[in-house]
Amino acid sequence: MTISLPIEQHLSSIQTMLAEHTRLILVAQPGAGKTTRVPLMLLSSAWAQGQRLLLGEPRRVAARLAATFMASQLNEQIGETVGYRMRGDSNVGPNTRLEVVTQGVLTRILQDDPLLEGVAGIIFDEFHERSAHSELALALTVDPSRFALAF
């Protein structure tokens, strides 16, 4: 069962904008469907075919709930098309195309693979909840060649 949310009427516009531009800031009221409807719609984008999308969430509970809800919208189990990763807990599979990750995991992914091989795009959810991890992740996505981290 698909739930009709306020964002539904804007999905085709969002799709068109992202086909023309690599960045988009989306502002809508809470509960409009930004977290759950937009990422699922983006999976069908031509530019995302055969690749993964990463959805960065600031909190572990929100990441797990968003992933579980989106998987249920596809009538699938978590870890099939939609999965999640966070420190100490992961539920992804070989066919997972949308990974909901916490901001710390997103930062680690960007540090380990600055070119993001196989990743079509990153969605920063709840970006107004700023943190050192979200700021660093955004900086690493803007120009990954500017950052070199050595351990």
Side-chain angles (χ1 to χ4, degrees):
M1 175 179 87
T2 303
I3 299 169
S4 181
L5 296 169
I7 202 76
E8 298 289 334
Q9 63 186 340
H10 303 288
L11 291 178
S12 62
S13 297
I14 294 167
Q15 187 89 285
T16 300
M17 285 184 229
L18 285 172
E20 298 171 7
H21 307 283
T22 59
R23 291 177 176 81
L24 175 71
I25 296 174
L26 180 60
V27 179
Q29 69 270 22
K34 300 179 298 292
T35 301
T36 57
R37 286 295 299 131
V38 173
L40 290 177
M41 177 268 305
L42 293 177
L43 287 175
S44 65
S45 300
W47 51 266
Q49 294 306 303
Q51 298 186 74
R52 295 177 299 139
L53 293 174
L54 302 176
L55 171 60
E57 281 290 338
R59 293 173 310 283
R60 297 168 59 95
V61 171
R64 191 176 295 113
L65 288 174
T68 302
F69 181 77
M70 287 186 284
S72 73
Q73 292 299 293
L74 298 173
N75 294 314
E76 295 181 356
Q77 295 294 314
I78 192 76
E80 292 180 36
T81 301
V82 180
Y84 66 83
R85 280 198 285 167
M86 58 193 68
R87 185 174 43 117
D89 190 11
S90 176
N91 197 336
V92 296
N95 298 319
T96 301
R97 292 198 48 232
L98 174 59
E99 290 185 36
V100 185
V101 298
T102 54
Q103 291 174 343
V105 169
L106 178 57
T107 301
R108 175 57 60 194
I109 290 169
L110 289 161
Q111 290 172 329
D112 290 345
D113 182 11
L115 297 178
L116 291 176
E117 298 293 332
V119 176
I122 299 174
I123 303 161
F124 290 89
D125 194 25
E126 303 292 345
F127 195 71
H128 63 279
E129 294 184 25
R130 298 174 76 168
S131 70
H133 282 297
S134 66
E135 297 288 327
L136 178 57
L138 180 63
L140 290 170
T141 61
V142 172
D143 185 1
S145 65
R146 293 177 52 206
F147 294 88
L149 301 173
F151 295 94

